[in-house]
């Protein structure tokens, strides 16, 4: 049981690192350094990403994980308000949990 | 990115293997994201969907000139050529609908069915503030209205960025003159009813473009006109209605 939890935590860390890199590629590593990034960071608020930057992020996630998960269906199925309040941690959880169930 | 007419264009393709293509053209001062999270992926379940950012918008390169409908249409023709698309259904939102209509008038061989969403007539007075150039107060009011209708409150960084982008386009490019150059498109459509495509006109119940909707319905013979709940931000407010209407139409 502990091994499962540890593996999941490790997976989350790896996915978070990858997603943070995507965000850095889009809004600039210098901006990330300034404002900071964590699992709780909300794309539109804390990271101040605008819609076209979130599209670029979604495309990067699709390219990286698209074979394993249906990220776009998940994100497209969200109400706009939910999408507006989406955090990087929620995307991490979705990817890690989808990998578990595959 | 694809280079067309000496300008880099941000282009996204969904479901490339489908046989029919739907090109989606966003409006002025917005970008392809207006379709991306809602309408585009639903249509991509059946169609090859092409989204792109207009020149000077989204992630596409900004140029000093070429914001008139003829130039925008030539950009779109270049995109179709680069992607090996001979004919496509065109979906245009707001100003993007004017590009779609222009394509149908001047390059009909490339256009299959037309879907026009909340497209104004630039010459009917409603669009005057837009044609008068960058106006901080007007843009602030517009953004405030947008926050109310979409329930989204943009951060100050975002607001500043939009102001910078709009101000740049108005003061350092030919956008303002180019917009004024195209005031007669509706007159041309009325002259001899050149748009013969099957056309779906989708407007909002709280639209400010009701005159344009009625005009287009009158002068495009094979058109049908529907009103859905919302205002000019209907692609964000009511995408399910748009998807339903578009899928039934195509």
């Amino acid at each position: 049981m502990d091994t499962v939890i540890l593996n999941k935590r490790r997976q989350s860390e790896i996915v978070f690192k990858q997603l943070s890199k995507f965000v850095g590629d889009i809004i600039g590593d210098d901006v990330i350094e300034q404002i900071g990034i964590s699992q709780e960071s909300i794309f539109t608020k804390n990271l101040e990403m605008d819609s076209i930057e979130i599209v670029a992020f979604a495309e990067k996630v699709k390219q990286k994980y698209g074979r394993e998960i249906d990220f776009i269906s998940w994100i497209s199925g969200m109400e706009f308000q939910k999408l507006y309040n989406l955090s990087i941690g929620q995307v991490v959880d979705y990817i890690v949990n989808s990998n578990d169930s595959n | 990115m694809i280079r067309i007419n000496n300008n880099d264009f941000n282009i996204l393709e969904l479901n490339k293997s489908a046989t029919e293509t739907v090109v989606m053209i966003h409006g002025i001062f917005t970008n392809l994201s207006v379709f991306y999270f809602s309408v585009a992926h639903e249509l991509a379940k059946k169609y090859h969907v092409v989204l792109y950012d207009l020149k000077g918008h989204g992630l596409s390169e900004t140029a000093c000139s070429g914001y008139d409908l003829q130039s925008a249409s030539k950009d779109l023709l270049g995109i179709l050529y680069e992607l090996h698309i001979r004919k496509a259904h065109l979906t245009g939102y707001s100003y993007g609908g004017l590009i779609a209509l222009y394509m149908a008038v001047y390059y009909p061989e490339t256009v299959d069915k037309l879907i026009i969403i909340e497209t104004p007539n630039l010459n009917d007075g409603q669009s005057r503030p837009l044609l008068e150039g960058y106006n901080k107060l007007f843009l602030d009011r517009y953004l405030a209205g947008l926050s109310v209708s979409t329930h989204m409150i943009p951060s100050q960084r975002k607001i500043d960025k939009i102001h910078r982008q709009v101000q740049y386009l108005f003061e350092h490019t030919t956008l303002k003159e180019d917009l004024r150059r195209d005031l007669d498109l509706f007159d041309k459509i009325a002259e001899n009813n050149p748009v013969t495509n099957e056309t779906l006109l989708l407007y909002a119940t709280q639209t400010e473009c009701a005159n344009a909707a009625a005009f287009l319905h009158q002068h495009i013979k094979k058109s049908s006109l529907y009103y859905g709940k919302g205002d000019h931000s209907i692609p964000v407010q009511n995408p399910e209605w748009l998807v339903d209407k578009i899928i039934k139409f195509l």
Side-chain angles (χ1 to χ4, degrees), chain A residues 27 31 44-45 47-56 58-59 62 72 75-77 80-81 83-84, chain B residues 10 12-14 31-33 36-38 41 45 53 58-59 150-155 157-158 161 236:
Chain A
I27 65 172
V31 178
T44 58
K45 293 178 184 166
L47 299 173
E48 298 189 350
M49 287 170 74
D50 59 27
S51 53
I52 194 69
E53 291 168 333
I54 297 172
V55 169
E59 282 295 299
K62 197 168 80 175
I72 295 299
I75 204 165
S76 304
F80 217 82
Q81 195 60 27
L83 181 64
Y84 186 66
Chain B
N10 180 38
L12 284 180
E13 286 182 90
L14 309 174
N31 56 58
L32 60 79
S33 69
Y36 181 86
F37 288 111
S38 50
H41 283 89
K45 288 177 181 167
D53 285 329
L59 300 180
T150 59
H151 306 291
M152 296 189 301
I153 303 156
S155 70
R157 184 179 82 99
K158 258 188 250 178
K161 191 177 164 188
V236 176

Side-chain angles (χ1 to χ4, degrees), chain B residues 193-205:
Chain B
N193 300 347
V195 180
T196 56
N197 313 64
E198 280 185 61
T199 302
L200 178 64
L201 303 166
L202 299 176
Y203 283 78
T205 47

Side-chain angles (χ1 to χ4, degrees), chain B residues 34-48:
Chain B
V34 76
F35 294 122
Y36 181 86
F37 288 111
S38 50
V39 183
H41 283 89
E42 283 301 316
L43 295 182
K45 288 177 181 167
K46 187 173 174 193
Y47 300 95
H48 171 214

Side-chain angles (χ1 to χ4, degrees), chain A residues 50-53, chain B residues 26-33 53-63 67 130 133-135 139 142-143 146 156-176:
Chain A
D50 59 27
S51 53
I52 194 69
E53 291 168 333
Chain B
H26 66 76
I28 209 154
F29 305 135
T30 173
N31 56 58
L32 60 79
S33 69
D53 285 329
L54 294 172
K55 184 183 289 168
H57 293 72
L59 300 180
S60 288
E61 191 182 347
T62 300
Y67 295 90
L130 179 70
Y134 173 71
N135 178 327
L139 190 56
Y142 170 76
L143 292 173
L146 198 63
Q156 195 54 48
R157 184 179 82 99
K158 258 188 250 178
I159 292 172
D160 292 344
K161 191 177 164 188
I162 294 168
H163 272 284
R164 278 198 304 275
Q165 185 195 16
V166 174
Q167 189 172 15
Y168 184 88
L169 283 169
F170 271 121
E171 294 177 1
H172 298 277
T173 76
T174 58
L175 178 83
K176 190 174 154 187

Side-chain angles (χ1 to χ4, degrees), chain A residues 7-100:
Chain A
N7 277 346
K8 208 163 179 179
R9 193 174 295 163
R10 180 79 190 121
Q11 272 185 49
S12 289
E13 283 166 6
I14 293 167
V15 173
F16 173 67
K17 204 173 165 187
Q18 179 67 67
L19 298 189
S20 302
K21 187 183 175 312
F22 289 161
V23 174
D25 290 345
I26 294 161
I27 65 172
D29 291 330
D30 53 332
V31 178
I32 294 242
E33 245 175 65
Q34 251 179 40
I35 58 181
I37 186 165
S38 71
Q39 298 251 11
E40 287 72 40
S41 299
I42 293 172
F43 292 98
T44 58
K45 293 178 184 166
N46 309 101
L47 299 173
E48 298 189 350
M49 287 170 74
D50 59 27
S51 53
I52 194 69
E53 291 168 333
I54 297 172
V55 169
F57 174 80
E59 282 295 299
K60 282 177 183 286
V61 172
K62 197 168 80 175
Q63 274 167 21
K64 174 74 181 170
Y65 300 102
R67 283 186 191 166
E68 301 142 50
I69 60 164
D70 193 357
F71 178 67
I72 295 299
S73 289
W74 178 67
I75 204 165
S76 304
M78 280 180 192
E79 282 179 14
F80 217 82
Q81 195 60 27
K82 208 170 169 188
L83 181 64
Y84 186 66
N85 289 309
L86 187 68
S87 70
I88 193 161
Q90 285 173 285
V91 180
V92 170
D93 288 345
Y94 173 71
I95 293 170
V96 171
N97 292 332
S98 300
N99 277 336
D100 272 359

